[in-house]
Amino acid sequence: MDVRAQLAMVFNLDKCLGCHTCSIACKNIWTDRKGAEYMWWNNVETKPGAGYPKFWEDQRKYRGGWVVKGDKIKLKAFGKLSTLLNIFFQPYMPKLDDYYHPWTYEYAKLYEGIEEEDQPVAEPISLITGKKMEINFGPNWDDDLGGSRLYAERDVNLEEREIIRDFGNIFMFYIPRICNHCLNPACVAACPQRAIYKRGEDGIVLVDQNTCRGWRFCITACPYKKVYYNWNTGKSEKCIFCYPRTETAQANACAHSCVGRIRYVGVILYDAEKVEQALKVKDEELVNAQREVILNPRDEDVVKSARKNGIPDSWIEYAVRSPVYTLVKEYALAFPLHPEYRTMPMTFYIPPLSPLIAIQSMLYDVDDDYLIINKFNKLRVPIRYLASLFSAGNEEIIVEALNKLMALRIYMRAKNIGENSGDVLKKVSLNEKDAEKLYRLFTLASYDERFAIPSAHREYLEERDAEERKGWRGIGVIRGLRGGI
Ligand code: SF4
Ligand code: SF4
């Protein structure tokens, strides 16, 4: 067992308002600079939709992530030869228009302009050229268009015609995205300069700005398109998981500012030796295999191995009370986004339930003792759609999670209005204690319950940082595959 610690995040999609406060908090701190105007390290997309950059999930176009070839896992876009051939040109990378052309408005004209018959208008001007421009795409374009069918039809998760035909009845939802600080980061593996690295102590993936030469392999390789090129500095940049904040036990700016309180941050312990094998399983087994990689921090053997690997005791204690562990592993409610890209993301999503009031009576009737699971086909967010986002097509595990969430709501509602909820919890293998714990986490949880972030231990880090910079490139699978380049 090779135990490592990772800071991870969970998003409860049922509660996201699409308010973009998280994106603005992030932008104000990290990307409010020349060359970074178009970057949204944290962005919020509307699903179904094309996303930002446009159609980022279409890996036939962008070729991000990993594929299994025989008994090996290889980057989809590059081998050793193509790394050399593409050194000056990345053919599969998104262009600026795929992100959007960043703009501001001529606000000064509103109060400095000469008096005329018509209302003054603040026209959009490019933040890059300073000239007037027309706006035809933006980072939350699907949202601006109210989940338009035009863009939804290009959502690769909606390729099945049946779902598109039914588009009018589909309920849209929001999905906030940051870099996933993956356990098998394609960006790290693709960088010929070794400028991107995964920190040993907390798993945060960073770009060393002194080493980066702007080759942009990372941008092609990341299937989530969460590395960005700064046209001013000529270097790549990405979400840094607010490490200057997490090192001092503060929540990330996006999580701290989240209006819907949908985010949870915590430590998980995982077994680095199991990662490679877990990535070689069939698509529909990927989520469960990833859950197996995550270790129980209460297990004595795990604690022993963690200490042997130099993980500080405070981190092990925080792993025990990590809300991420609770939601991802203990209750299996949260899923990685697109596990089939095989980067093993360390951000997880609790899938949304459809509007509840309308369907609750259809779902459960104490007297008739309905099985909740059989009624889920009637949800307005098709299970197949959620499965294509969060479980590489495995509908069963999505239904299991939705059943638990629904049972929890039925139980709490019945309790609050003095009705009998029968054995609804038992049907989904929960008990009253579980229900109270989850209810608190989803509704009333305090700052310290939502964010269990231990402070960094510099004394332990310094030796290790030096080692890692010399050549540690994440987990064994990466070292084996890309070490020679
Ligand atoms: S999402 Fe994963 S592959 Fe993409 S930049 Fe982040 S760590 Fe790298
Ligand atoms: S701040 Fe929270 S609720 Fe608002 S869009 Fe971001 S993740 Fe969603």
Side-chain angles (χ1 to χ4, degrees), residues 10-14 264 327 333-335 348-352 405 442:
V10 168
F11 305 79
N12 184 354
L13 295 187
D14 239 356
Y264 303 85
L327 295 168
L333 291 173
F335 299 81
F348 302 87
Y349 294 87
I350 299 176
L405 294 172
F442 291 152

Side-chain angles (χ1 to χ4, degrees), residues 171-339:
F171 185 73
M172 47 75 80
F173 58 94
Y174 298 107
I175 179 161
R177 299 202 301 120
I178 60 172
C179 160
N180 303 298
H181 300 277
C182 310
L183 289 194
N184 186 28
C187 57
V188 174
C191 175
Q193 201 69 29
R194 298 194 169 199
I196 308 195
Y197 62 103
K198 185 167 176 66
R199 296 209 304 191
E201 71 271 24
D202 54 16
I204 295 176
V205 174
L206 297 170
V207 182
D208 181 339
Q209 294 292 301
N210 292 323
T211 315
C212 177
R213 294 288 172 270
W215 300 119
R216 288 174 262 184
F217 285 88
C218 49
I219 298 175
T220 301
C222 171
Y224 301 92
K225 294 295 163 268
K226 278 293 167 188
V227 195
Y228 305 84
Y229 180 69
N230 183 317
W231 56 266
N232 183 43
T233 62
K235 316 257 181 187
S236 290
E237 294 181 11
K238 62 180 287 302
C239 157
I240 57 172
F241 208 74
C242 280
Y243 75 82
R245 292 176 60 89
T246 59
E247 281 181 1
T248 51
Q250 301 176 76
N252 324 54
C254 57
H256 190 128
S257 65
C258 176
V259 175
R261 297 189 171 194
I262 79 154
R263 300 186 185 220
Y264 303 85
V265 184
V267 180
I268 55 166
L269 302 179
Y270 69 94
D271 186 353
E273 277 173 5
K274 282 194 189 156
V275 173
E276 181 171 5
Q277 212 43 49
L279 290 166
K280 288 182 183 166
V281 299
K282 285 191 220 140
D283 279 2
E284 55 278 19
E285 292 164 13
L286 280 164
V287 172
N288 282 331
Q290 178 165 352
R291 285 183 184 147
E292 285 306 307
V293 168
I294 299 170
L295 299 167
N296 180 355
R298 293 178 185 92
D299 182 309
E300 278 179 22
D301 290 338
V302 172
V303 172
K304 220 184 282 172
S305 307
R307 286 197 180 121
K308 201 168 128 217
N309 265 7
I311 296 174
D313 278 353
S314 63
W315 279 63
I316 300 170
E317 282 156 29
Y318 271 83
V320 170
R321 64 180 186 86
S322 164
V324 177
Y325 180 80
T326 305
L327 295 168
V328 174
K329 175 93 176 186
E330 224 176 318
Y331 292 103
L333 291 173
F335 299 81
L337 180 60
H338 288 301

